[in-house]
């Protein structure tokens, strides 16, 4: 089965080609083949496939990639909006911690996660 | 040094190392392991399905054997060892509070810090002569490979996404092909997610059913109980139909349902469900009360189904947070409006002469 695509033109993924040293780590960790290698530089091949997991940004040694990482989970978004913890559902919400320099937290300053 | 307890039901023995007795496990699962997975899939005791974190021996590994890293969710651990029959390896289990690798990586508990800490506390440096760790690729959101190298001296190698690809990964010089690196969402994977979705939605649907049944008795042409058995009982079936549409059929048919937004997918299947159910009430279409009732269900069933479908974004493997927020901006108001207007029409139909 091919890749499923979610909504178009929404993701926050950015790549600064100036900073990229072409190590290829981002290609390895991306679970949706969003990135590709072009003349020794990473490039965004299909941004609509990105799920904002943040793996590429976290593993880029030169901080060339930024993305507002988070988990695309409606229940978590609802629970964040209601300001409650979601122990009844699969999603767990935690107050934002410092997630490392290159991974920007969502604006709501909380990280939601599902399993 | 802290080693996992030897007193865990799946531990079969121990391997003596320089740092002490490392619990030994095999790649064949016992009946109890399988039953545990079934229960976890149905949401029974899922939050406490954990094993001790630390180092384990799969088979009889030595100083040159590979080190595989996983989470302390028992199912993650079982999937890993089950995939490696006849292999000798070390398995380093991180403390993720019983959460699987991907979710824990997203939360940051399966992260650089915990990995570095666990490398030190397990005495791994004294057990293996090499300095390489194989991590599941889906640990990427939590682990920064270059920082692990800097802080602990171990090189992180990202293995395939699926544990079942590990044997061929190990046999091909730790190279993963493009297919091993892509997270797909095939039907088998969607099916195992349905029980948890269904059970959690069923819990509060069951609370609504008696309310709707009794509301069905109010007003209307006949006495309270005969009304309840007519309108109320239909409401019960309609709600259960919407539940199945949103939490079972939507995950099952996901790629084939029209629309990209999950709410749209749930809406479509909800409309079909509404068609099928209201067909049984078509006899009432000649009067206004009957028409109101049917229109009411045409709003409530799709709204409920769309809402449940929207909640499946959390379990899916390809939705982004930005996308979910965008979807919810229009979907949630519509779902609420559909539910409320539908409910008013349905209740109103009972008091229309
Ligand atoms: S955020 Fe995740 S899905 Fe998006 S490009 Fe990076 S690794 Fe790929
Ligand atoms: S990880 Fe960073 S430096 Fe390496 S190829 Fe990707 S963008 Fe370039």
């Amino acid at each position: 089965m091919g890749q499923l695509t979610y909504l178009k033109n929404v993701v926050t993924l950015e790549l600064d080609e100036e900073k990229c040293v072409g190590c290829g780590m981002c290609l390895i960790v991306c679970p949706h083949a969003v990135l590709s290698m072009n003349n020794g530089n990473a490039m965004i091949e299909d941004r609509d496939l990105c799920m904002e997991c943040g793996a590429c940004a976290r593993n880029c040694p030169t901080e060339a990639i930024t993305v507002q990482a988070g988990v695309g989970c409606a229940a978590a978004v609802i629970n964040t909006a209601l300001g409650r913890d979601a122990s009844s559902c699969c999603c767990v919400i935690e107050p934002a911690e410092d997630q490392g320099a290159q991974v920007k937290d969502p604006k709501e300053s909380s990280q939601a996660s599902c399993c | 040094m802290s080693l996992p307890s030897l007193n865990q039901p799946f531990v079969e023995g121990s391997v003596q190392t320089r740092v002490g007795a490392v619990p030994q496990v095999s790649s064949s699962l016992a009946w109890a392991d399988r039953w545990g997975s079934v229960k976890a899939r149905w949401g029974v005791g899922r939050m406490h399905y954990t094993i001790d974190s630390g180092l384990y021996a799969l088979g009889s590994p030595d100083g040159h054997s590979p080190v595989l890293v996983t989470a302390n969710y028992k199912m993650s651990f079982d999937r890993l060892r089950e995939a490696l029959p006849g292999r000798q390896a070390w398995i380093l289990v991180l403390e993720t509070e019983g959460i699987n690798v991907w979710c824990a990586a997203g939360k940051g508990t399966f992260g650089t810090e915990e990995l570095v800490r666990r490398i030190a506390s397990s005495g791994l440096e004294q057990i293996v002569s090499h300095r390489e760790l194989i991590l599941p690729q889906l640990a990427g959101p939590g682990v920064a490979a270059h920082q692990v190298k800097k802080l602990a001296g171990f090189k992180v190698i990202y293995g395939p996404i699926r544990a079942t690809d590990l044997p061929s990964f190990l046999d091909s010089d730790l190279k993963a092909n493009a297919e091993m690196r892509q997270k797909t969402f095939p039907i088998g994977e969607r099916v195992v997610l349905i029980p948890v979705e269904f059970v959690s939605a069923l819990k509060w649907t069951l609370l609504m059913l008696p309310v709707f049944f009794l509301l069905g008795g109010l007003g209307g042409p006949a006495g309270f109980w005969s009304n309840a058995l007519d309108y109320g009982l239909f409401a019960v079936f309609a709600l259960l139909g919407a539940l199945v549409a949103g939490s079972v059929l939507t995950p099952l048919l996901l790629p084939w349902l029209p629309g990209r937004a999950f709410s749209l997918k749930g809406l479509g299947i909800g409309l079909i469900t509404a068609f099928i159910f209201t067909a049984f009430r078509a006899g009432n279409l000649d009067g206004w009360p009957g028409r109101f009732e049917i229109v009411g269900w045409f709003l409530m069933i799709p709204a409920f189904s769309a809402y449940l479908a929207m909640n499946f974004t959390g379990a899916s493997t390809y939705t982004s947070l930005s996308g979910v927020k965008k979807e919810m901006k229009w979907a949630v108001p519509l779902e609420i409006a559909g539910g409320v207007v539908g409910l008013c029409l349905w209740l109103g139909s009972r008091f229309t002469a």
Side-chain angles (χ1 to χ4, degrees):
Chain A
M1 194 177 72
Q3 293 278 65
L4 290 161
T5 314
Y6 191 43
L7 308 187
K8 295 217 164 213
N9 302 320
V10 286
V11 297
T12 52
L13 181 72
E14 299 295 339
L15 170 70
D16 181 348
E17 276 155 37
E18 300 284 289
K19 287 191 188 165
C20 174
V21 294
C23 71
M25 274 310 276
C26 53
L27 273 69
I28 288 177
V29 291
C30 179
H32 291 293
V34 173
L35 302 139
S36 67
M37 210 43 112
N38 176 31
N39 290 329
N41 256 322
M43 61 171 257
I44 298 175
E45 174 86 27
D46 189 347
R47 58 184 308 118
D48 289 332
L49 288 177
C50 174
M51 63 176 296
E52 301 184 327
C53 71
C56 52
R58 185 166 299 281
N59 282 277
C60 174
T62 62
E63 302 183 9
I65 301 183
T66 54
V67 61
Q68 285 180 13
V71 178
C73 170
V77 174
I78 292 173
N79 283 307
T80 311
L82 299 177
R84 69 172 182 217
D85 187 55
S87 48
S88 61
C89 97
C90 64
C91 305
V92 184
I93 303 177
E94 294 183 318
E97 298 159 46
D98 186 14
Q99 294 284 323
Q102 70 272 43
V103 182
K104 281 189 259 161
D105 270 337
K107 285 196 193 69
E108 283 69 5
S109 76
S110 82
Q111 255 245 328
S113 181
C114 282
C115 57
Chain B
M1 296 299 114
S2 71
L3 290 163
S5 164
L6 298 176
N7 252 332
Q8 300 181 80
F10 54 90
V11 174
E12 296 183 351
S14 65
V15 172
Q16 278 305 323
T17 67
R18 244 178 273 180
V19 302
V22 172
Q24 187 181 37
V25 298
S26 83
S27 65
S28 53
L29 300 191
W31 188 84
D33 300 322
R34 294 185 196 285
W35 178 236
S37 291
V38 171
K39 282 201 300 186
R41 289 287 185 210
W42 284 90
V44 183
R46 192 162 62 105
M47 298 306 172
H48 309 285
Y49 200 44
T50 62
I51 62 171
D52 285 2
S53 47
L55 193 67
Y56 291 80
L58 175 68
S60 307
D62 60 21
H64 304 287
S65 304
V67 181
L68 305 163
V69 185
T70 190
N72 82 334
Y73 181 42
K74 174 95 178 349
M75 216 190 301
S76 307
F77 182 73
D78 284 352
R79 288 296 92 81
L80 174 62
R81 61 191 175 112
E82 188 184 32
L84 297 165
R87 308 249 171 184
Q88 329 298 327
W90 301 100
I91 300 181
L92 185 63
V93 174
L94 303 194
E95 177 58 57
T96 61
E97 287 145 29
I99 308 276
N100 72 38
V101 175
W102 208 12
C103 300
K107 281 178 69 176
T109 46
F110 194 116
T112 308
E113 214 179 297
E114 164 64 12
L115 179 56
V116 168
R117 196 166 41 218
R118 205 54 61 183
I119 292 170
S121 72
S122 64
L124 194 59
E125 286 190 330
Q126 300 174 56
I127 294 176
V128 294
S129 51
H130 61 80
R131 290 292 175 262
E132 283 180 0
L133 303 171
I134 299 174
L135 266 65
Q137 184 189 328
L138 293 183
V143 176
H146 54 282
Q147 279 170 13
V148 175
K149 175 88 191 172
K150 202 159 64 188
L151 297 169
F154 275 80
K155 179 181 177 199
V156 167
I157 297 169
Y158 285 107
I161 286 180
R162 283 163 294 269
T164 47
D165 285 331
L166 264 173
S168 66
F169 176 80
L170 293 170
D171 290 342
S172 52
D173 259 345
L174 308 186
K175 294 268 177 308
N177 61 32
E179 198 192 320
M180 291 182 198
R181 296 233 172 269
Q182 281 199 30
K183 181 70 192 158
T184 54
F185 202 28
I187 189 154
E189 234 171 89
R190 300 198 303 274
V191 166
V192 298
L193 292 172
I194 290 174
V196 164
E197 294 293 315
F198 180 75
V199 168
S200 71
L202 182 68
K203 278 180 197 151
W204 43 272
T205 309
L206 286 180
L207 294 177
M208 294 181 357
L209 294 184
V211 177
F212 272 77
F213 180 73
L214 294 176
L215 282 177
L218 300 179
F224 182 81
W225 288 112
S226 58
N227 274 336
L229 283 175
D230 182 357
Y231 301 99
L233 199 60
F234 179 73
V236 167
F237 283 120
L239 288 175
L240 287 174
L243 170 72
V244 170
S247 72
V248 177
L249 296 178
T250 304
L252 199 66
L253 304 174
L254 197 71
W256 303 291
L257 295 175
R260 287 174 189 274
F262 281 40
S263 309
L264 269 184
K265 293 174 183 288
L267 178 75
I269 199 137
L271 282 172
I272 296 174
T273 310
F275 251 111
I276 295 171
F277 275 79
T278 53
F280 292 104
R281 310 290 282 182
N284 297 349
L285 260 181
D286 43 4
W288 281 109
R291 288 175 201 160
F292 278 160
E293 188 200 5
I294 286 180
V295 174
W297 284 113
F298 250 97
L299 291 169
M300 279 189 280
I301 296 176
F304 189 34
S305 168
Y307 176 79
L308 292 174
M310 185 182 80
N311 273 322
F312 192 62
T313 50
S316 82
T317 58
Y318 67 98
T319 51
S320 60
L321 181 59
S322 301
V324 168
K325 283 184 179 162
K326 186 178 174 192
E327 164 170 352
M328 290 178 75
K329 226 169 253 164
W330 58 262
V332 172
L334 281 182
E335 285 154 10
I336 293 174
V340 170
V341 174
L343 183 64
C344 293
L345 280 175
W346 181 64
L347 286 176
S349 74
R350 216 61 41 64
F351 298 99
T352 320

